[in-house]
Amino acid sequence: MSKSAENSTAFEGNRRLRVIHCVRSPVGGIFRHIQDVIRYQNTAGMDVGLICDSLTGDSFEEEQLAELAPHMALGVARLPMARHLSFSDIKATRLIYKLLKQADVDVIHAHGAKGGAYGRLVGHVLDAKRHKAGEPGVVTVYSPHGGSLHFDKTSIAGRLYFALERIMEAYTDEFVFVSRYEVDAFTSKVGQLRKPYTIAYNGLQPEELEPVEASEDAADFLYAGHMRDLKGTDLFIDAIAKVNAQASHPVSAVMVGYGDDRPRYESDVRKRKLDHLIRFQDPAPIRDVFPLGRTLVVPSRAESMPYIVIEALGARMPVIATSVGGIPEIFADHATDLVPPGDSDLIAKAMVRHLENPDAVNRRTDSLHNRITSVFSIERMCHLIDEVYARHLPQARRGNGTRSAEAVSDASVYGKDTFAKGVQ
């Protein structure tokens, strides 16, 4: 048994610990993080469940959820969750309350802005009701994953969301941040933290540290991930156009991902007459995507601690990235090589440098791969999260058994012994 598993059984008491993860969007790096934690927690002897949005994702995410289902004794509940604040949040909150009440949950781990609001608000109500009944309460943990912290603190939306974050902090037992950047962003935009926090860097499995070779017909540059301006998708296209305007030979690119804005980007590529140089492809497992390009480009305007950068460097793939979020923490001594965000001219110049200096690029990639191996591991990440739960559980554990369950409406549910069966 691993050290982390030993710690989990030490505070399980007379039954397995029951943990529910709550997130709005089951896509991208935030969902990769949750999948890793769920698999690890199942191995460590916890009963785990997931609540997420039913409006986000496509067949790729459905396949991921289906693969994750055997690791969740409490199953998966999907229900409509609006991306922005709306009246539909009232209905969603009530349904989540019913789901979590039926789950007899010990820990609510809330992720992202909307999942964080749902999970912490419901956790606060459940905790108050249990204490009123003389029962131990519920542990509520929050991982922002960037979320509302991406907003500008001078904007109206930013001021609203940061005010809500300050209110919701009172309903949080502990924060789990995935980077020092997140801590600094919270302090700068919301205010000094009043609750404890832990930094647990995203981590990789040992097999993800094996090199991935580019295919013979690989494009020069690869974009992979959600397609939206926040991620710099428009900047990538613009940079490819600028590189080709000055290059002596055609420079190719492949763009892999999803998003409501993808048709707009495809149209832009056609209008620029770049469709013979840039091709689009639907999402696939990331280690199947890496061979499609020789250098990964992450042109984001904002990030937290992007898995895509860690995964690529773990696979010994060269990376061009912007200096946003936790990316400088990944690059460490090589952070000066990062590109300032929001400037396609600078991204294009970095692309040219990669094409002209392959030996220097390979040396830096090897150095960064060694850093990933030593710092960014799933074992370390999940052990830190175990310790967060353990710090708050002694006063929140309750005796044996589970509660009865019936049928569920307004949420599509699958998995085994799902916690969602008790909602009407």
Side-chain angles (χ1 to χ4, degrees):
M1 181 182 293
S2 69
K3 182 178 181 182
S4 183
E6 290 172 351
N7 283 348
S8 68
T9 55
F11 55 72
E12 281 170 14
N14 294 322
R15 68 177 173 92
R16 290 161 65 97
L17 188 69
R18 298 170 74 83
V19 180
I20 303 295
H21 294 268
C22 181
V23 64
R24 185 190 70 82
S25 180
V27 300
I30 186 172
F31 190 46
R32 157 70 202 260
H33 172 93
I34 292 169
Q35 290 181 77
D36 287 341
V37 174
I38 286 175
R39 286 189 171 93
Y40 198 90
Q41 289 176 342
N42 175 62
T43 301
M46 304 180 198
D47 286 343
V48 191
L50 173 66
I51 297 174
C52 62
D53 178 36
S54 60
L55 305 175
T56 306
D58 52 25
S59 58
F60 179 66
E61 281 70 36
E62 288 291 340
E63 291 174 5
Q64 288 186 309
L65 283 167
E67 292 174 2
L68 191 62
H71 301 274
M72 294 184 289
L74 302 181
V76 181
R78 302 196 70 180
L79 59 140
M81 298 181 185
R83 181 174 180 179
H84 299 291
L85 291 172
S86 72
F87 287 111
S88 65
D89 289 331
I90 298 173
K91 182 177 181 180
T93 302
R94 292 179 63 185
L95 183 54
I96 291 170
Y97 170 78
K98 293 179 180 179
L99 291 169
L100 291 172
K101 182 179 179 181
Q102 289 291 337
D104 194 20
V105 63
D106 298 308
V107 178
I108 300 170
H109 195 149
H111 303 263
K114 185 57 75 76
Y118 287 142
R120 289 184 289 172
L121 181 61
V122 170
H124 172 68
V125 174
L126 280 175
D127 190 66
K129 286 182 177 292
R130 288 190 186 178
H131 282 300
K132 187 175 181 179
E135 302 173 351
V138 178
V139 173
T140 304
V141 175
Y142 174 44
S143 296
H145 299 284
S148 59
L149 301 180
H150 289 321
F151 283 94
D152 186 331
K153 64 180 179 182
T154 63
S155 68
I156 294 174
R159 289 197 293 269
L160 172 61
Y161 281 109
F162 300 148
L164 291 174
E165 285 284 0
R166 177 55 83 193
I167 293 169
M168 297 302 295
E169 186 181 14
Y171 308 153
T172 310
D173 287 308
E174 187 161 344
F175 291 83
V176 175
F177 295 106
V178 296
S179 65
R180 168 57 60 179
Y181 158 78
E182 279 194 331
V183 179
D184 294 341
F186 189 100
T187 302
S188 170
K189 296 180 177 182
V190 179
Q192 192 64 40
L193 279 155
R194 299 169 180 169
K195 292 296 180 73
Y197 69 87
T198 292
I199 298 175
Y201 285 139
N202 293 332
L204 300 183
Q205 298 279 11
E207 59 269 23
E208 294 179 286
L209 299 172
E210 295 297 321
V212 172
E213 298 293 334
S215 61
E216 290 186 7
D217 60 345
D220 295 300
F221 297 102
L222 166 68
Y223 175 99
H226 199 70
M227 294 191 182
R228 54 189 296 215
D229 285 355
L230 183 72
K231 298 297 184 181
T233 314
D234 57 323
L235 299 173
F236 178 82
I237 295 170
D238 202 31
I240 291 294
K242 290 175 177 177
V243 172
N244 274 287
Q246 56 183 297
S248 59
H249 60 85
V251 174
S252 59
V254 58
M255 302 182 67
V256 181
Y258 43 74
D260 294 339
D261 292 333
R262 175 168 157 172
R264 172 164 63 89
Y265 299 128
E266 291 175 325
S267 176
D268 184 37
V269 166
R270 289 192 297 270
K271 288 178 181 178
R272 291 172 179 245
K273 301 189 185 319
L274 295 171
D275 44 326
H276 65 296
L277 298 173
I278 302 176
R279 72 179 191 273
F280 288 81
Q281 184 168 310
D282 290 338
I286 194 62
R287 286 179 69 84
D288 293 338
V289 170
F290 286 153
L292 301 177
R294 302 188 186 281
T295 296
L296 175 73
V297 181
V298 182
S300 299
R301 291 179 169 90
E303 285 287 355
S304 179
M305 178 57 76
Y307 263 104
I308 187 71
V309 175
I310 301 170
E311 290 168 322
L313 294 173
R316 273 196 167 89
M317 184 177 195
V319 175
I320 295 171
T322 50
S323 181
V324 295
I327 296 178
E329 295 171 60
I330 301 173
F331 272 62
D333 293 342
H334 297 281
T336 54
D337 294 336
L338 295 171
V339 181
D343 192 326
S344 60
D345 285 329
L346 295 179
I347 295 171
K349 289 179 181 178
M351 289 177 171
V352 171
R353 287 196 298 271
H354 268 237
L355 293 172
E356 293 178 345
N357 302 283
D359 290 340
V361 168
N362 289 335
R363 285 194 299 272
R364 189 189 71 182
T365 301
D366 287 343
S367 175
L368 288 168
H369 173 82
N370 292 336
R371 172 165 169 75
I372 297 299
T373 300
S374 62
V375 176
F376 296 86
S377 74
I378 284 182
E379 180 84 17
R380 181 179 184 275
M381 175 183 78
C382 292
H383 176 60
L384 289 170
I385 293 172
D386 279 353
E387 290 183 333
V388 171
Y389 295 176
R391 274 194 288 276
H392 302 280
L393 274 167
Q395 59 187 9
R397 285 308 308 267
R398 184 163 183 252
N400 298 319
T402 57
R403 297 177 181 176
S404 61
E406 301 169 14
V408 63
S409 62
D410 289 339
S412 65
V413 178
Y414 51 92
K416 52 186 179 182
D417 299 327
T418 177
F419 66 95
K421 294 179 182 175
V423 181
Q424 293 291 345

